[in-house]
Amino acid sequence: MNIPFFSKIDPTKPAVKKSAAREWLDAAVFAIIAATIIRTFFIEAYTIPTPSMEKSLLVNDYLFVSKMHYGARLPMTPLAVPFVHHTIPILNTKSYSEAIKAPYKRLWGFGEIERNDDMVFNWPQDHENNRPVDKKENYIKRCVGLPGDSLELRDRVLYVNGKPGYKPRYQQFLYYVAQLPTGYDLSEEMKDDLNLSNWNERVNYYSLTDDDVKNLQAIPNIALQLVDTVHNMYGKGIAQPDCFPMDTTHFKWNQDNYGTIWIPKKGITINLTKENIALYRTLITEYEGHTLDERNFPFLIDGKPAPTYTFAMNYYWLMGDNRHNSLDSRFWGYVPEDHVVGKAWFIWMSYDKHGIRWKRLFHSVKSLED
């Protein structure tokens, strides 16, 4: 019996020619699939929206983020509109469905996260929108603390494991630039020459690097005053209420004098106490998915007495180089490993009000920071 399904193709029969519309459709589908694979597993474009990493990374730097260095994170919400993060433009509706959720898994990468890497990650405290991990807002900061590290800030100086930490070339602090009675004005041209920008548009407040300070001090009639977040000076032992873990009774920490704080490491077990639970509350409940009852001691985790806790993930500490104009781990704590997106790799476009910043194009992030 001749079964058509298994019959051979007749070479003398002409092939059916696709219409132009079908060819365009096939090409578009292929392009979308290819671009999605590249974006998910290899590289993704990212734009620097804020000055928290100035002048290491500048506002309107367009860069590629490598998923390959740390290993690509598999999509946790695979049902999503391609090429958009969490919201469909114009329609202003969410771009994903939570009908299918996948657990956190990461492919093999070229290497491990290293201290002082410029890291892109999902903002852990994106609570208001209640989005899945991989659809939270993307942030970029410098990874200054690895799992198991002890970290401290003493009068704005970073110490890691008891030793002075890496000082970024373009690390900045907030200064008030005061004119002496003889009078002197920083013209717009002078600001451009010195590459200065007002902090939050406040008159005479500037985020300055060490080189900026030297250049300004060389100008007659200019006086500088180091300040912290608009007139407030934070010395050692002064509690800043909005600093993590927001427990001013047990932690007299602020953005310039912070810690010592230990960065949780996978597999390590710690004792839980009434004094330290503020450090680990969000980690236990939100990041690692347990219930926590603090009404009695020892606390109850998943309904069972838990005098200790063993971490299921690694955590990292991220800070901006523009130290007085950066919302970072000092204010929202640890970054879990499942929130890590990738490593800032190289800049392919950059511009400011004067036009394209040609000297930054097609340079690696590292080369621009050295």
Side-chain angles (χ1 to χ4, degrees), residues 228-229 232-235 237-248 251-258 330-331:
D228 298 306
T229 58
N232 294 323
M233 300 298 292
Y234 290 109
I238 298 177
Q240 187 175 349
D242 57 344
C243 273
F244 178 80
M246 291 86 172
D247 178 354
T248 57
F251 302 95
K252 307 295 184 182
W253 296 349
N254 57 69
Q255 62 180 329
D256 289 332
N257 288 276
Y258 193 97
R330 293 170 295 175
F331 299 95

Side-chain angles (χ1 to χ4, degrees), residues 135-186:
K135 298 303 179 184
K136 293 181 179 180
E137 292 290 352
N138 287 327
Y139 271 44
I140 184 167
K141 308 287 181 186
R142 189 175 302 280
C143 178
V144 298
L146 298 177
D149 282 347
S150 292
L151 183 143
E152 182 182 6
L153 285 166
R154 303 178 205 160
D155 294 325
R156 294 174 290 274
V157 178
L158 174 67
Y159 290 82
V160 180
N161 299 325
K163 299 179 181 179
Y166 170 73
K167 181 180 179 181
R169 176 183 177 185
Y170 297 112
Q171 177 177 280
Q172 299 182 87
F173 295 104
L174 186 63
Y175 287 80
Y176 175 70
V177 181
Q179 285 77 51
L180 295 182
T182 52
Y184 197 96
D185 228 359
L186 280 177

Side-chain angles (χ1 to χ4, degrees), residues 80-101:
V81 176
F83 310 133
V84 293
H85 187 40
H86 52 62
T87 304
I88 300 175
I90 302 177
L91 298 179
N92 200 32
T93 58
K94 70 178 186 178
S95 63
Y96 59 92
S97 169
E98 296 185 69
I100 298 178
K101 295 182 180 181

Side-chain angles (χ1 to χ4, degrees), residues 345-357:
W345 195 8
F346 73 92
I347 294 171
W348 61 272
M349 173 56 73
S350 181
Y351 70 89
D352 59 15
K353 62 182 179 181
H354 301 296
I356 296 175
R357 295 183 283 227

Side-chain angles (χ1 to χ4, degrees), residues 13-29:
K13 191 175 182 179
V16 178
K17 186 177 180 180
K18 295 180 181 179
S19 66
R22 176 61 185 275
E23 289 182 349
W24 275 104
L25 179 61
D26 288 350
V29 170

Side-chain angles (χ1 to χ4, degrees), residues 160-213:
V160 180
N161 299 325
K163 299 179 181 179
Y166 170 73
K167 181 180 179 181
R169 176 183 177 185
Y170 297 112
Q171 177 177 280
Q172 299 182 87
F173 295 104
L174 186 63
Y175 287 80
Y176 175 70
V177 181
Q179 285 77 51
L180 295 182
T182 52
Y184 197 96
D185 228 359
L186 280 177
S187 66
E188 291 301 316
E189 183 179 356
M190 186 177 296
K191 292 177 187 177
D192 287 342
D193 289 342
L194 295 171
N195 195 22
L196 301 180
S197 58
N198 290 81
W199 183 80
N200 281 3
E201 299 182 352
R202 293 181 178 275
V203 177
N204 293 343
Y205 283 83
Y206 297 91
S207 290
L208 305 177
T209 65
D210 289 348
D211 287 341
D212 293 333
V213 171

Side-chain angles (χ1 to χ4, degrees), residues 296-354:
N296 297 299
F297 190 81
F299 308 126
L300 300 179
I301 295 180
D302 296 334
K304 299 178 181 179
T308 64
Y309 184 78
T310 302
F311 301 104
M313 286 194 292
N314 284 319
Y315 291 81
Y316 301 88
W317 197 261
L318 283 295
M319 290 172 59
D321 291 354
N322 194 353
R323 292 291 168 79
H324 286 158
N325 194 11
S326 175
L327 181 66
D328 54 38
S329 284
R330 293 170 295 175
F331 299 95
W332 33 254
Y334 317 109
V335 175
E337 65 178 68
D338 65 349
H339 283 57
V340 175
V341 174
K343 181 178 181 179
W345 195 8
F346 73 92
I347 294 171
W348 61 272
M349 173 56 73
S350 181
Y351 70 89
D352 59 15
K353 62 182 179 181
H354 301 296

